Every structure is written in C-alpha cells, then in structure tokens.
Amino acid sequence: MQKLNVSVVICTRNRNEYLAKCVGSLLKQTYPPKEIIIVDDYSDKSILKFLKKEFSRIPLSLQKLFHFKTDLIVLRNKEHSGIVKSRNLGIKVASGEIVAFLDDDGFAHKNWVENLIKSYSNQKILGVGGPVVEIGRNIKTPVKPIKRLAFIKKGRIVTNYRIKKLEEIKYFPRKFVPFLQGGNMSFRREAVLQANGADVNFIGNCYREETDICLKISKRGKLFFEPQAVTYHNTAKKGGNTDIIKFNIDNFLYYMFRNTTYFFFKHFDIRKAFDFTLHSLNNQVKLFQKNKTGINRDYLQIQDRIKSTL
C-alpha cells in the first residue's frame, strides 16, 4: 500500500490550553500526519503566539524526537463563524489524501493515525473512525460486546462509540457503519470534496453536522469503524465553536431540534422524515417531564437548569 499523507483538522475557539495538549498528542504519533491544520474561529487571544510560546519550552533533546516534519498551519476566521465553516476551511486547505478531524478539547492515542490508515488499503472505504474515551463524563459503560454501533430508530440517532476506559474497546467490533463520531473521524479528501464538505445549513450549535457529512459520504462508499483508532475527549466547560449559542440550554435545545429536523428531511422521504421528527419531539417531551434533557453534556448551565426544576 502506498503511504498516504494525512491532514488533521482541529477547529477551535478560546481553548488554548486544551489545544496545546491536542497538538502535542499529534506530534507524538507513530504514523506522523503530514500537517496539522488549526482553524481558529476568531478567538480572543492569538493562538499562533500561544503555540509558539508553549512548544518553545520543549527541550532541544526532546525536540529531536519530533523528527516527523509535520507542518503546523494556523488559520483564522474573520469573524465567529461556527464549526461548519471552520471545518470547510480546513478541508479546503488540506493537502493530504486523508483528512482527519479531532476536537480541540480532545487528544489522540499515540497510534491513532496509524490505525486509521490501515483500513484505507480497501479502496471501497471512504472514511474511517474509532471510539472516544470520555474523561469525566457520566456515561453508560459497555459490559458486553456491542452489536449495533450506529443506527437511526424512531427519531433517535444512536452512536455507541463512547467509553470510559481504554480497555473497553474490547467490546467493539470492526465493521462498516453509516456514520462516525465527530471527534474521531477521517475521510478520503476527494470523497469529502465530492460531497461538498460540511453543510452550512446546520446553524447555531450545528448539531448533527458531522452525522450529515458522514451520511453523505456513506452513500458514495463505505465508512468503517476501527476500535483501535482511539481518541480522548475532556469536555471543556467553555469556549469551542458552539459558544456561538453562549452555552445557553434553551438555545442549545432549540438548535438541536431544528438541525435534527433538517437532517431528517434532507436524507429521508417526507413520510419517514415526518415520522422521525414526531418521535424525536415526543422523546424530548418525555425527558422534560422527568426533569431531564437527554443531553450527555457537562455544561454548568445545563446542570444548573436541571437542578432548578427539581
């Protein structure tokens, strides 16, 4: 197999400390990426200056270990534009045959890129992703092998990709899937361009934009889940591309429902889309009746809102 060049795109805003750890994990990869493309969504402080200062602290003896010649490219939006436009800018600038995405408050296992690349020996595979180890989040942990990794049923879009501990990857199969996790996904750049990148009609918190791009590409070829391609996610309480909604629970829920409904009507016939939307709304109402949101996020505002309703 010919060696494939990988461009890793990180979309970020006001998360410099998290970003430094993210970039650092990519510099230590067993299969070094060709380039790391950071798209700054109009942060308050210069990311470029911060990274120069941060990585200048690495001793020269240690710098010699980073002999991979990975290019670091920092781009900056002219205004706060959100995750979709930031992602598209990264795709446009990327020069690698493979474009991978990593969250700014996440970081990669040392062999993440290497394990992503292995599956691309199959020319029918257009995208590869893996599991995400959640740090500090209260999530259900798998206790037995997972058969259905990702599916849509009665208005629920389900991805069983999140775990608490690395050893839990033993419960994941290697198999084809309809969509991947936004913080751990990669595609052949040609396939992303043919799918016209991310859809700018996903607005606000841009909920489901990554599911949309995956589904568009899966209609052209195969998406594959590789359990050994692991990333970590340490949910930041503030910053990031979704702070365009100010981390307000009412705004978040509005855009979640709005974008999910758009997703249904974009990809399914009217009857099925309408049915999915009604089920989705009904599920959310039932959660509200139990003083729950159904959102697996640790934003302080969400926690406070739930407590205030008890």
Side-chain angles (χ1 to χ4, degrees):
M1 177 183 175
Q2 183 181 0
K3 182 175 180 179
L4 296 172
N5 289 320
V6 179
S7 301
V8 180
V9 176
I10 307 168
C11 303
T12 188
R13 175 175 162 81
N14 292 335
R15 286 180 176 169
N16 286 354
E17 285 72 20
Y18 288 91
L19 181 64
K21 185 171 185 177
C22 182
V23 172
S25 72
L26 295 173
L27 293 176
K28 300 173 186 176
Q29 291 291 300
T30 54
Y31 188 115
K34 178 181 184 292
E35 58 195 8
I36 301 169
I37 302 172
I38 298 172
V39 183
D40 172 20
D41 195 19
Y42 205 65
S43 293
D44 297 335
K45 297 180 180 180
S46 171
I47 284 179
L48 186 58
K49 288 182 179 179
F50 172 82
L51 291 177
K52 284 182 177 180
K53 182 178 180 181
E54 186 72 17
F55 289 102
S56 67
R57 299 173 182 171
I58 300 176
L60 183 61
S61 58
L62 190 57
Q63 289 183 35
K64 291 180 180 179
L65 295 177
F66 301 151
H67 55 82
F68 307 125
K69 297 182 180 179
T70 296
D71 294 329
L72 182 61
I73 302 170
V74 179
L75 309 172
R76 179 176 169 84
N77 293 332
K78 295 181 179 179
E79 61 182 5
H80 191 7
S81 305
I83 185 69
V84 170
K85 291 183 179 179
S86 297
R87 205 185 289 282
N88 283 338
L89 179 57
I91 294 169
K92 181 180 179 180
V93 172
S95 61
E97 292 92 345
I98 306 298
V99 182
F101 297 93
L102 189 59
D103 287 346
D104 60 349
D105 57 352
F107 54 96
H109 191 278
K110 64 180 180 180
N111 58 10
W112 176 57
V113 176
E114 180 180 359
N115 284 320
L116 286 177
I117 288 299
K118 289 178 181 178
S119 298
Y120 284 107
S121 58
N122 183 339
Q123 294 301 312
K124 294 182 180 180
I125 291 178
L126 301 184
V128 183
V132 177
V133 179
E134 291 288 355
I135 301 173
R137 263 194 192 179
N138 184 23
I139 62 172
K140 290 184 178 180
T141 302
V143 295
K144 60 182 180 179
I146 296 174
K147 295 181 179 179
R148 300 187 72 187
L149 287 170
F151 58 92
I152 301 175
K153 182 179 181 180
K154 292 185 177 180
R156 293 177 63 238
I157 301 174
V158 181
T159 53
N160 291 314
Y161 298 152
R162 299 178 185 274
I163 53 179
K164 283 185 178 181
K165 300 177 181 178
L166 181 61
E167 55 263 33
E168 291 168 359
I169 64 174
K170 66 184 178 183
Y171 296 118
F172 290 128
R174 300 177 73 248
K175 64 184 301 183
F176 295 113
V177 291
F179 37 83
L180 303 164
Q181 193 72 38
N184 187 351
M185 63 183 187
S186 68
F187 308 102
R188 295 186 190 274
R189 182 172 181 268
E190 182 179 359
V192 179
L193 293 175
Q194 289 176 349
N196 296 317
D199 186 345
V200 296
N201 289 304
F202 288 90
I203 59 175
N205 58 10
C206 302
Y207 205 75
R208 294 301 174 197
E209 57 84 19
E210 75 277 13
T211 313
D212 172 73
I213 194 172
C214 287
L215 209 56
K216 287 193 297 182
I217 293 174
S218 69
K219 292 176 181 178
R220 300 169 178 267
K222 300 288 188 179
L223 298 184
F224 191 74
F225 181 84
E226 172 51 66
Q228 299 294 327
V230 178
T231 64
Y232 296 79
H233 185 219
N234 187 13
T235 307
K237 296 296 190 297
K238 57 183 179 179
N241 296 85
T242 56
D243 75 354
I244 196 168
I245 60 169
K246 306 302 180 184
F247 287 93
N248 176 281
I249 182 60
D250 295 321
N251 285 343
F252 191 95
L253 289 169
Y254 166 75
Y255 285 113
M256 179 184 74
F257 184 73
R258 183 263 180 208
N259 289 332
T260 300
T261 301
Y262 170 70
F263 172 83
F264 287 149
F265 279 88
K266 176 179 179 179
H267 290 283
F268 302 97
D269 62 68
I270 294 178
R271 179 176 294 181
K272 183 171 287 188
F274 189 70
D275 182 60
F276 281 167
T277 300
L278 285 179
H279 274 101
S280 179
L281 179 59
N282 186 51
N283 290 336
Q284 196 64 54
V285 169
K286 288 180 179 179
L287 286 168
F288 288 152
Q289 290 173 343
K290 298 178 181 179
N291 293 319
K292 297 180 179 180
T293 63
I295 301 171
N296 185 22
R297 295 178 183 269
D298 296 325
Y299 303 153
L300 292 177
Q301 288 87 340
I302 292 178
Q303 294 174 345
D304 291 342
R305 177 63 179 274
I306 295 173
K307 291 177 182 177
S308 68
T309 61
L310 295 177

